[in-house]
Amino acid sequence: MAVSNTNAERRRAPLSSWVKQTFLTLGSVAVTMLGLLFVTFIIGRVMPIDPVLAIVGERASQSTYDAVYQQLGLDKPLLVQFLYYLWDVCRGDFGMSLLNARPVAEDIARVFPATMELATIGVFIGIVLGVPLGVVAAVNRGSWIDQIARVVALVGYSMPIFWLGLMGLLVFYGVLGWVGGPGRLDIFYEDIVPARTGMILLDSALAGEWSVFRNAFSHIVLPASLLGYYSLAYISRMTRSFMLEQLTAEYVTTARVKGLSERAVIWRHAFKNIRVQLITVIALSYANLLEGSVLTEIIFSWPGIGSYITTALLSADMNAVLGGTVVVGLIFICLNILSDLLYRVFDPRSK
Amino acid sequence: MSNITSHDQSWRAWLMTDAPTSRRHARLANLYQGWLTLRGNSMAMFGLGILLALLLIALFAPLLSPHDPFTQSLSNRLQPLGSEGHLLGTDSLGRDILSRLIYGSRITLYIVALVALIAPVAGLLVGTVAGYAGGWTDTILMRITDIFLAFPRLVLALAFVAALGAGIENAVLAISLTAWPPYARIARAETLTIRSADYISAIRLQGAGALRIITKHIWPLCISSLIVRVTLDMAGIILAAAGLGFLGLGAQPPSPEWGAMISEGRRFILDHWWVATVPGLAIFTVSLAFNLLGDGLRDVLDPKDGSQ
């Protein structure tokens, strides 16, 4: 009995600190999310659009106006209004879209898979090409391949994404005709496969409609490569600097002195140690792609959340803009936490 | 200092000295040696050259542009590159693209200068106060910073512009509001390392107040890392401004803002490609120049995390 007691106590000590750590993290996340909602709330309040007029129209009588004014809770103090807003958001209610009179939450659920499909393929391209490029550039520091990697990244940092997208469309769609044009599918292929996940490549593969799959692929390949290029620029740069740090470490010299092959030194020793840092970088660039796709989606008429927010913005559909902003912000925060957690799980030093 | 100039020493030797005789002498010598390092970096000098050229173009826009950037000539619309009197062609309203490009450089510089004034100063203020005060002030200010960092930048700028209304000043404000948090982070980190230094304690013993310590003794030390960060951020600022212009939320027509010009040219991209291509190249060139210069400056001013 006594032994098991001390064992339990021994086990409890690190557990409680872990619990405390988790609570601290969750607490700061909660504060950040609260702040995000507060900012969007304030933006919604200073917007030069009268939400009541938008609902009742200009010809409504004063009594109708007042009724709706009260119904929306606009006569309450700002803090109470904020609490109402919080309560609504917690229930997943972002209000009605003024454009199509449908719940904003439903709209977002419909458009989000398109963005996710695009960003996922983009970040995949970024990882597959960016990580090896960064490693090779670090190993052959100063060589021509390092210079190429540098130029690739520099151009990626300096090029306006919407312009590159236009140029891509011009060359690969307009002149060469290698890829599909704007949109997710040619009109001929639309509404053939049922939307199960909302991601057309996945849906068409699940339905076994390979002609639809091919068409969808020809449409997604250009915007996805574009996003892939941008995450490649970032991932390869970070990989290179992480690798350089490892390659100058003493254990690498030791491994070489031991007579290990260069490949084993690089991939089994040095690369193994940067995997944890890379996870953070990849999560960050995924988050950036989810939001950075706004302009890409416009160029390629891609019906994702970026297009949704922008269209709503240009037609002064406030609920839709704020709903979209909140969702993107929350996902952004969640990906940051996720990378933080993964870091803790995979980094032996943090245990 | 007068006795130095009376000696028959060249400026160069005076600037290269190891034993500066005054504070200004030390500062100038330091600057000169930084300049020498920067001059050795050909890519950075290339970037600097482009930016100087841009500055000159913006200054002398009325002299350089062959046509008025706003004069329309519908009979002369969509002229191709290299056509008579229009080196870079004309747009859908027959306006000379080269002239619009030249005048657009003023808008680009205007946006960049304003953001570069607002965002780092705001960040410096927040960061140094948080770092120096510590305690609750620090916690609250840094929480606010984290909240703004957690926001996706372009989406936040979009929402701000939606609230404030489209326009170039509001675009600047929106970009600044999304750009200040990293500066606050940097300034706070610098302040934390400086705060406990002996010379700060010495000044405090002499009776200097918090305001004096922050403005006179902490700010000057934060400046160099902020400059590097600003230069590297410039490219992002230009791209963000062009993006807002492209979406129709920044500079309004008929303003020759480069992003808005791409947006105008987008409709004709398949038949008249140059209308959208040329302003895009201009944006690319300028942001590339800022990136090159920023890399070089980082090596000079902030050697500890230079691009190895």
Side-chain angles (χ1 to χ4, degrees):
Chain A
M1 248 342 238
V3 173
S4 71
N5 247 345
T6 50
N7 263 350
E9 263 163 32
R10 222 177 269 153
R11 226 173 286 140
R12 206 176 294 139
L15 192 71
S16 74
S17 86
W18 190 82
V19 167
K20 199 177 152 195
Q21 189 82 44
T22 310
F23 267 105
L24 273 179
T25 314
L26 285 180
S28 78
V29 168
V31 171
T32 312
M33 286 186 176
L34 214 62
L36 179 126
L37 289 171
F38 188 69
V39 172
T40 49
F41 172 76
I42 293 296
I43 291 176
R45 287 295 161 262
V46 299
M47 223 148 172
I49 301 162
D50 187 339
V52 181
L53 268 189
I55 292 174
V56 299
E58 278 175 19
R59 295 195 190 171
S61 65
Q62 189 61 38
S63 59
T64 324
Y65 184 94
D66 292 342
V68 174
Y69 189 80
Q70 281 184 7
Q71 200 188 332
L72 289 175
L74 292 172
D75 54 338
K76 307 260 184 348
L78 213 58
L79 190 69
V80 177
Q81 288 187 37
F82 179 58
L83 290 178
Y84 276 131
Y85 176 68
L86 269 188
W87 174 238
D88 283 344
V89 170
C90 288
R91 289 182 306 157
D93 178 5
F94 294 108
M96 292 292 188
S97 161
L98 299 178
L99 264 188
N100 55 14
R102 289 174 8 146
V104 169
E106 250 177 50
D107 278 347
I108 292 177
R110 186 169 41 83
V111 297
F112 189 70
T115 300
M116 204 167 114
E117 186 176 31
L118 196 58
T120 308
I121 299 181
V123 85
F124 181 75
I125 295 174
I127 297 168
V128 167
L129 298 178
V131 171
L133 184 64
V135 170
V136 172
V139 171
N140 304 298
R141 189 178 154 194
S143 70
W144 60 272
I145 198 155
D146 189 20
Q147 294 302 329
I148 287 179
R150 187 179 136 88
V151 170
V152 163
L154 209 59
V155 170
Y157 284 142
S158 313
M159 194 89 86
I161 192 165
F162 52 98
W163 181 71
L164 196 58
L166 274 178
M167 294 300 114
L169 269 181
L170 172 66
V171 174
F172 294 107
Y173 170 66
V175 178
L176 298 171
W178 288 355
V179 298
R184 300 177 84 184
L185 284 172
D186 284 342
I187 196 126
F188 180 70
Y189 290 98
E190 259 168 40
D191 297 322
I192 292 181
V193 290
R196 270 186 251 181
T197 59
M199 294 183 235
I200 292 212
L201 284 181
L202 216 57
D203 282 346
S204 55
L206 285 176
E209 293 280 356
W210 295 106
S211 60
V212 179
F213 182 87
R214 267 198 301 279
N215 188 258
F217 183 78
S218 80
H219 279 268
I220 204 172
V221 69
L222 193 57
S225 318
L226 193 66
L227 290 179
Y229 176 51
Y230 277 80
S231 61
L232 179 155
Y234 179 56
I235 290 175
S236 70
R237 252 6 239 171
M238 297 311 278
T239 309
R240 177 180 178 274
S241 74
F242 294 155
M243 273 306 272
L244 279 180
E245 207 174 295
Q246 297 297 329
L247 288 174
T248 50
E250 285 180 356
Y251 75 88
V252 169
T253 319
T254 314
R256 287 205 177 112
V257 170
K258 258 170 34 181
L260 287 182
S261 71
E262 195 58 22
R263 180 181 288 179
V265 170
I266 292 164
W267 291 103
R268 271 222 310 274
H269 288 259
F271 184 72
K272 213 170 157 187
N273 283 330
I274 70 163
R275 280 185 313 189
V276 182
Q277 290 165 298
L278 270 187
I279 289 173
T280 319
V281 166
I282 287 167
L284 258 181
S285 58
Y286 192 46
N288 279 329
L289 281 197
L290 282 177
E291 75 117 357
S293 54
V294 173
L295 290 165
T296 316
E297 284 178 10
I298 303 278
I299 291 287
F300 290 94
S301 310
W302 198 260
I305 195 154
S307 300
Y308 181 72
I309 293 177
T310 323
T311 326
L313 202 98
L314 293 177
S315 46
D317 187 350
M318 191 177 75
N319 286 341
V321 173
L322 294 184
T325 310
V326 167
V327 169
V328 175
L330 291 183
I331 292 167
F332 206 72
I333 296 175
C334 289
L335 276 170
N336 274 319
I337 303 161
L338 191 71
S339 77
D340 205 44
L341 284 178
L342 284 175
Y343 197 97
R344 278 202 212 140
V345 171
F346 285 111
D347 190 357
R349 276 171 304 187
S350 62
K351 274 179 191 156
Chain B
M1 251 179 19
S2 57
N3 60 336
I4 292 171
T5 37
S6 66
H7 278 77
D8 195 29
Q9 266 179 322
S10 69
W11 275 99
R12 205 182 136 76
W14 185 72
L15 284 168
M16 295 297 285
T17 179
D18 289 333
T21 50
S22 72
R23 196 191 283 186
R24 189 188 293 158
H25 187 179
R27 203 171 285 161
L28 282 176
N30 203 355
L31 266 180
Y32 182 68
Q33 274 152 30
W35 164 248
L36 286 185
T37 319
L38 189 67
R39 217 176 52 180
N41 184 335
S42 55
M43 293 314 271
M45 290 316 287
F46 181 62
L48 187 64
I50 292 177
L51 293 177
L52 285 178
L54 180 77
L55 200 65
L56 290 177
I57 289 173
L59 270 178
F60 299 109
L63 296 176
L64 289 170
S65 59
H67 297 268
D68 183 89
F70 301 109
T71 309
Q72 304 178 4
S73 159
L74 290 179
S75 59
N76 215 4
R77 63 198 292 267
L78 296 169
Q79 294 293 316
L81 291 181
S83 56
E84 185 78 41
H86 301 285
L87 194 61
L88 297 178
T90 58
D91 68 4
S92 59
L93 295 172
R95 295 172 295 195
D96 182 50
I97 294 181
L98 177 62
S99 307
R100 288 178 70 71
L101 217 55
I102 289 174
Y103 274 91
S105 65
R106 290 184 160 187
I107 300 174
T108 301
L109 282 177
Y110 177 68
I111 294 175
V112 163
L114 275 185
V115 176
L117 272 180
I118 300 173
V121 170
L124 186 66
L125 210 67
V126 172
T128 46
V129 167
Y132 187 76
W136 273 105
T137 322
D138 185 26
T139 313
I140 291 173
L141 285 179
M142 281 301 113
R143 258 307 105 200
I144 295 175
T145 313
D146 282 349
I147 289 167
F148 275 87
L149 269 180
F151 254 111
R153 272 177 81 168
L154 186 64
V155 175
L156 182 63
L158 283 181
F160 273 126
V161 173
L164 301 167
I168 201 163
E169 277 80 15
N170 290 341
V172 166
L173 210 59
I175 296 172
S176 305
L177 274 167
T178 59
W180 67 270
Y183 300 111
R185 278 267 180 94
I186 294 171
R188 177 174 175 270
E190 294 271 347
T191 311
L192 286 181
T193 58
I194 301 166
R195 188 175 64 168
S196 49
D198 286 342
Y199 77 90
I200 295 286
S201 314
I203 307 159
R204 205 179 290 138
L205 282 175
Q206 285 177 353
L211 186 69
R212 189 181 168 81
I213 294 178
I214 289 179
T215 54
K216 294 265 175 177
H217 298 278
I218 293 180
W219 280 9
L221 290 175
C222 298
I223 297 290
S224 69
S225 44
L226 282 188
I227 288 179
V228 173
R229 178 76 202 208
V230 169
T231 322
L232 285 170
D233 268 5
M234 288 295 186
I237 291 167
I238 290 175
L239 295 184
L244 287 178
F246 177 75
L247 292 175
L249 298 168
Q252 295 298 302
S255 160
E257 199 269 326
W258 293 345
M261 284 171 73
I262 297 182
S263 165
E264 282 165 24
R266 184 188 165 198
R267 285 177 293 151
F268 318 102
I269 185 77
L270 292 181
D271 303 318
H272 309 283
W273 55 271
W274 62 92
V275 184
T277 307
V278 173
L281 280 175
I283 299 174
F284 171 61
T285 312
V286 175
S287 62
L288 184 70
F290 272 115
N291 272 330
L292 291 173
L293 181 64
D295 272 349
L297 277 181
R298 183 175 51 196
D299 295 343
V300 174
L301 293 173
D302 204 10
K304 55 183 179 287
D305 63 17
S307 61
Q308 309 188 342

